Amino acid sequence: MDIPHPAIPGLVWAYRFRPGVEPCVRLGADVTLADLQTEDGFFWLHLNLADSRVAGFLESVHALDDSIKANLTTHETHPSIVVDDGALYGTLIDFQREFDQETRDIGWLHFALGERYIITTRLQPLRSIDRLRAAIDKNPKRFSTPSHVFEGLVAEFQRSLIALVMETTEELNAIEDFVYDATPCDERRRLAPVRRTVVRLHRHLRTVLTLMRRASAADDEEMPFGFEEIAARLTGRLESIDHDVYALQERARLLHEEVDSKLSSETNRHLYILSLMTAFLLPPTLVTGFFGMNTGALPFTEGASGTIYAASFIVASILFAWIILRRVGIL
C-alpha cells in the first residue's frame, strides 16, 4: 500500500495557535501552508532536513527573508541568534534522541520566529523539541505568542541540561570513590568521555549565553512581539545552568589532575624500588664480574673454600651498599 506524502515536505508536526479563540490544534500530515496561516494567531511548523525538498518548500514561503531561509536549511554546527526587523532566527544546541533512548550526542536546532509563525528544522531527532511538543499537548494555553514557544524550547533545553548535570554528577561521584580508594586504579578511560562532553557543552553554552545577551540588548523595534520580556528570563535560565556546567567542568578537571597525580606517585614509587634494587645489586655484580674473569693469579682459585669467600664478599658488598644508602638518607 502506498503511503501518502505530506503536503508539506519533511513535516514532523504542525500546530496552529489562536489564543482566546480556540485551543491549540495539532494538524494532520495533509496540512498545507494555507491551513496554518491565520489572522488572529500563529503557527509552529517543525521540519526534518533529511527531506531534500524542505529547502524548496521554504523558498515558497514569501514571508521569510533570504537570510532566514538560509539559516533554516544550513548544516553549520555552531550556535547563532540574530534579531532583525521583527524576527528572531538562529541555531541552538540540543541533545540527539534515538528511537528507544536519549543520548548525549550534541545536535543542532535551527529556528525562526516572527509575529505570526515559528519554524524549526533539524536533521536528527532532538530531546528538548520533543519535550516541548509534549508540554504543548499538556498545557497549550501557556503559549500565546511565538516568543512563548521559543521560551518553552529554551526551558526544556535547560531541564535536559539539569538532568545531564545530575547524571554526570553521579558518574563523577562513582569515579571519585575509585580514585580516592586505597587501591590505585586508572579511571582516565571512564573520566575522559565525561570530561569531553562537559567541555564541549560548556563551550557551546557560553556562546549561546553571549548571543542571548546580545539579542536582549537589541532595539525594541527589531525584536519580535513579546520577546523583550522573555529575553531576561531566558538569560537568567542560561546563566544558572552555565554555572552548574562550569562547576562540573572544574570538578572533572580536578579529578583528572588527581588521577594523574596518583599515577605519577605510583610510577615514582616503582622507580624508587627499581633504583634501590639497582643500588643493592650493583656491588654484588661487580664482585661476581671480578671473580668471573679468566685471568692469572685470581684470588681463591686454589683450595676448597673459594666459593665461600666469594659469597662472603657478595654479602659484604650488599651490607656496604645498605650502610651508604642509610648514611645519605635514601633509606
Side-chain angles (χ1 to χ4, degrees):
M1 183 178 68
D2 295 334
I3 300 177
H5 294 287
I8 298 178
L11 177 68
V12 182
W13 61 69
Y15 284 88
R16 185 176 61 210
F17 298 81
R18 300 181 68 189
V21 178
E22 66 176 3
C24 168
V25 177
R26 180 175 180 178
L27 304 176
D30 58 344
V31 63
T32 63
L33 187 60
D35 297 331
L36 293 171
Q37 296 173 338
T38 61
E39 296 182 357
D40 53 357
F42 66 97
F43 66 88
W44 177 24
L45 191 61
H46 186 50
L47 304 176
N48 183 3
L49 290 177
D51 192 327
S52 59
R53 301 172 298 162
V54 171
F57 165 75
L58 293 175
E59 287 294 334
S60 65
V61 182
H62 301 295
L64 302 179
D65 295 337
D66 291 339
S67 57
I68 295 178
K69 296 175 183 177
N71 174 80
L72 290 174
T73 56
T74 185
H75 292 283
E76 294 183 358
T77 56
H78 61 82
S80 63
I81 300 177
V82 179
V83 178
D84 184 27
D85 195 21
L88 181 74
Y89 62 92
T91 302
L92 297 176
I93 60 173
D94 202 348
F95 296 104
Q96 298 180 25
R97 181 186 59 80
E98 301 293 344
F99 289 105
D100 57 346
Q101 64 179 351
E102 296 178 340
T103 72
R104 295 184 180 180
D105 298 330
I106 291 179
W108 301 95
L109 176 70
H110 312 291
F111 69 92
L113 63 96
E115 184 178 356
R116 298 294 183 187
Y117 68 88
I118 176 170
I119 301 176
T120 53
T121 61
R122 51 78 171 168
L123 191 59
Q124 303 93 358
L126 301 175
R127 184 188 308 186
S128 300
I129 201 77
D130 286 346
R131 292 183 176 182
L132 176 60
R133 175 185 56 82
I136 290 177
D137 291 338
K138 183 177 181 180
N139 187 11
K141 294 182 180 180
R142 291 175 48 199
F143 308 92
S144 57
T145 66
S147 295
H148 287 122
V149 177
F150 180 74
E151 182 183 19
L153 175 61
V154 177
E156 292 300 333
F157 174 64
Q158 182 199 25
R159 294 187 181 96
S160 298
L161 285 180
I162 291 174
L164 177 63
V165 167
M166 297 301 295
E167 294 172 4
T168 307
T169 299
E170 292 298 325
E171 291 184 18
L172 290 180
N173 288 342
I175 295 174
E176 195 173 60
D177 290 340
F178 281 100
V179 169
Y180 290 104
D181 190 73
T183 304
C185 58
D186 186 0
E187 290 295 318
R188 287 178 296 181
R189 290 187 176 181
R190 292 177 59 189
L191 185 59
V194 176
R195 191 180 181 192
R196 181 171 58 251
T197 300
V198 173
V199 168
R200 289 184 61 199
L201 183 59
H202 182 253
R203 180 174 66 248
H204 294 311
L205 187 57
R206 290 295 301 176
T207 304
V208 172
L209 180 57
T210 301
L211 293 170
M212 189 65 69
R213 288 170 177 165
R214 184 182 303 174
S216 63
D219 295 335
D220 296 344
E221 294 79 7
E222 297 289 327
M223 293 184 181
F225 176 74
F227 181 72
E228 181 180 4
E229 62 181 23
I230 290 172
R233 295 200 296 267
L234 294 180
T235 302
R237 284 179 176 273
L238 293 175
E239 286 177 344
S240 63
I241 193 61
D242 178 69
H243 177 75
D244 294 337
V245 174
Y246 177 74
L248 271 184
Q249 181 183 356
E250 286 298 301
R251 184 182 178 190
R253 180 182 63 83
L254 294 175
L255 197 54
H256 192 276
E257 292 178 355
E258 181 66 24
V259 172
D260 288 341
S261 177
K262 290 196 69 174
L263 291 177
S264 297
S265 299
E266 188 67 16
T267 301
N268 292 336
R269 190 176 70 86
H270 292 163
L271 291 176
Y272 174 73
I273 295 174
L274 290 175
S275 300
L276 290 180
M277 292 178 63
T278 302
F280 281 123
L281 293 177
L282 181 59
T285 302
L286 294 176
V287 173
T288 55
F290 175 78
F291 284 106
M293 295 186 299
N294 295 320
T295 57
L298 192 68
F300 312 129
T301 55
E302 301 295 336
S305 301
T307 302
I308 296 176
Y309 292 139
S312 300
F313 274 108
I314 292 175
V315 174
S317 65
I318 293 176
L319 293 176
F320 178 76
W322 182 80
I323 293 172
I324 296 298
L325 293 177
R326 290 281 294 182
R327 284 184 176 273
V328 299
I330 296 178
L331 291 178

